[in-house]
Amino acid sequence: MFSKAAYTKLAVWSQSSTFNGQIRWNSTQPPTSSSKPVSPHVGFYKTFTRPIAKVLLMATFTYQLAYWGWVYLEKEEIKLDKSAEVQSLEKQLADLTDGKRNTP
């Protein structure tokens, strides 16, 4: 199934890149079992920083989307109000100009 060269590369890679079943990525020091314990405060931030950041990012996105929708609807409402006011004023102007023409 594998060629001898591919099998040799795979075997060398698997032996050199794993330590206790974990892949080591450019580590400078081997893991030691006598490392000092992590404080609960630091552990909390190591565990929950990424999820909290994702929640805040999604909340900001949701707020911006709702704000954009609100501004769009408000703009349309103002545009309709202004159009109705312009039509009313044009009608009033037409009535006044027709009344001026009819009176001698």
Side-chain angles (χ1 to χ4, degrees):
M1 184 166 164
F2 288 115
S3 69
K4 184 165 177 91
Y7 180 73
T8 305
K9 286 180 184 178
L10 182 62
V12 168
W13 177 81
S14 66
Q15 289 173 359
S16 65
S17 65
T18 61
F19 179 76
N20 291 338
Q22 296 178 349
I23 296 177
R24 295 174 50 205
W25 300 100
N26 297 327
S27 94
T28 57
Q29 298 175 351
T32 60
S33 61
S34 64
S35 62
K36 61 182 180 178
V38 178
S39 76
H41 183 74
V42 173
F44 173 81
Y45 284 109
K46 279 186 176 181
T47 304
F48 293 108
T49 299
R50 189 173 177 123
I52 289 172
K54 284 182 181 180
V55 167
L56 290 175
L57 183 64
M58 289 302 295
T60 303
F61 174 73
T62 303
Y63 172 79
Q64 289 295 319
L65 188 64
Y67 178 77
W68 178 82
W70 184 281
V71 167
Y72 178 78
L73 291 173
E74 190 77 21
K75 182 182 74 169
E76 290 297 317
E77 182 181 357
I78 290 171
K79 195 185 294 185
L80 289 174
D81 289 345
K82 296 290 181 181
S83 294
E85 185 179 359
V86 166
Q87 287 178 353
S88 170
L89 291 173
E90 285 176 347
K91 185 175 185 290
Q92 187 179 5
L93 180 63
D95 290 343
L96 289 173
T97 54
D98 286 343
K100 201 173 197 183
R101 286 184 194 160
N102 292 339
T103 57

